[in-house]
Amino acid sequence: AQSVAQPEDQVNVAEGNPLTVKCTYSVSGNPYLFWYVQYPNRGLQFLLKYITGDNLVKGSYGFEAEFNKSQTSFHLKKPSALVSDSALYFCAVRDSGFQKLVFGTGTRLLVSP
Amino acid sequence: DTGVSQDPRHKITKRGQNVTFRCDPISEHNRLYWYRQTLGQGPEFLTYFQNEAQLEKSRLLSDRFSAERPKGSFSTLEIQRTEQGDSAMYLCASSLVTSATYEQYFGPGTRLTVT
């Protein structure tokens, strides 16, 4: 069965500092990995994905994520955080044999001025 | 390019009533998904369609839930005899089946409150 773990309920970072939001996954086949962001009372907005290829993937708004197969991790990163990055971030995985996305419980990112 | 739209955005209903939600996917997308999100949780998969065919249903989709996608365009999700436990955000997403596209694009959701 597919599963995703986001070990931190909340991450606090000062504006201008680098940020990391952690995600680990479990799938039986090849993983397709995604990060989404959710602002209050809004749907989910796609940030980036890893399907195959380079382990470092770049996405929207300066975000990037590093795929680590041995550690089954897909951490979200940004070199310099903005206050406007404050939101709820979800990691999701799709097993290569299935269509549905399985989401983690989300990590709230709070960037202070 | 318009995104995924959902209607209504909010619905308050009394326990035992039936409700129906609508989702309009991105126009060229042939896959459509329904998810449910409760407070403090990530979205949970309910069902998905490829064109008009409903190909997978989650165990979360009890007999009171039914989804349709006539003509492979918009979709409706109906909940009969609503219960307080049905209170949640119902999210619709769509995607295009190509070899290079895997991400799902989400609508703004319909927030259901059952009183």
Side-chain angles (χ1 to χ4, degrees):
Chain A
Q2 311 162 71
S3 67
V4 170
Q6 293 184 244
E8 303 153 315
D9 289 336
Q10 183 163 313
V11 169
N12 297 304
V13 64
E15 187 174 33
N17 284 358
L19 69 88
T20 298
V21 182
K22 296 179 180 178
C23 171
T24 58
Y25 67 90
S26 174
V27 297
S28 55
N30 293 321
Y32 299 155
L33 293 155
F34 305 84
W35 277 101
Y36 285 84
V37 60
Q38 188 174 35
Y39 294 97
N41 299 313
R42 302 276 296 276
L44 277 72
Q45 184 174 342
F46 170 74
L47 280 179
L48 52 78
K49 66 185 177 187
Y50 171 83
I51 305 299
T52 186
D54 290 342
N55 290 340
L56 185 65
V57 294
K58 296 187 182 297
S60 306
Y61 312 116
F63 284 93
E64 57 190 27
E66 186 170 10
F67 171 67
N68 188 315
K69 187 174 182 178
S70 63
Q71 297 185 4
T72 61
S73 66
F74 188 56
H75 300 332
L76 180 70
K77 300 180 180 184
K78 188 174 182 182
S80 179
L82 300 173
V83 172
S84 58
D85 293 330
S86 298
L88 191 54
Y89 290 80
F90 289 97
C91 180
V93 66
R94 179 162 83 84
D95 199 317
S96 57
F98 300 88
Q99 297 304 320
K100 68 179 183 182
L101 290 176
V102 174
F103 287 85
T105 51
T107 298
R108 186 166 302 281
L109 175 65
L110 184 59
V111 181
S112 55
Chain B
D1 177 29
T2 58
V4 177
S5 62
Q6 293 186 245
D7 184 68
R9 294 290 306 275
H10 303 274
K11 179 70 176 178
I12 300 174
T13 191
K14 293 184 177 179
R15 187 177 54 189
Q17 297 295 305
N18 299 343
V19 294
T20 300
F21 310 141
R22 176 178 170 127
C23 171
D24 287 88
I26 294 172
S27 59
E28 66 271 23
H29 285 187
N30 49 5
R31 280 196 178 142
L32 186 149
Y33 311 79
W34 285 98
Y35 291 83
R36 183 175 70 183
Q37 184 179 19
T38 54
L39 198 61
Q41 299 296 317
E44 296 173 291
F45 172 79
L46 292 177
T47 188
Y48 94 94
F49 294 82
Q50 181 159 319
N51 300 315
E52 65 274 9
Q54 187 173 17
L55 296 184
E56 186 178 350
K57 293 196 291 186
S58 161
R59 295 174 189 174
L60 291 175
L61 214 65
S62 75
D63 292 344
R64 296 185 297 106
F65 288 70
S66 63
E68 295 182 341
R69 194 184 181 197
K71 303 179 183 178
S73 55
F74 71 92
S75 175
T76 58
L77 177 68
E78 181 183 17
I79 308 175
Q80 296 182 327
R81 304 181 303 282
T82 52
E83 302 173 355
Q84 287 188 325
D86 297 330
S87 295
M89 175 79 86
Y90 290 83
L91 295 166
C92 175
S94 68
S95 70
L96 183 63
V97 182
T98 68
S99 60
T101 302
Y102 295 89
E103 62 268 29
Q104 297 175 19
Y105 293 90
F106 284 79
T110 293
R111 182 169 295 283
L112 173 66
T113 302
V114 181
T115 62

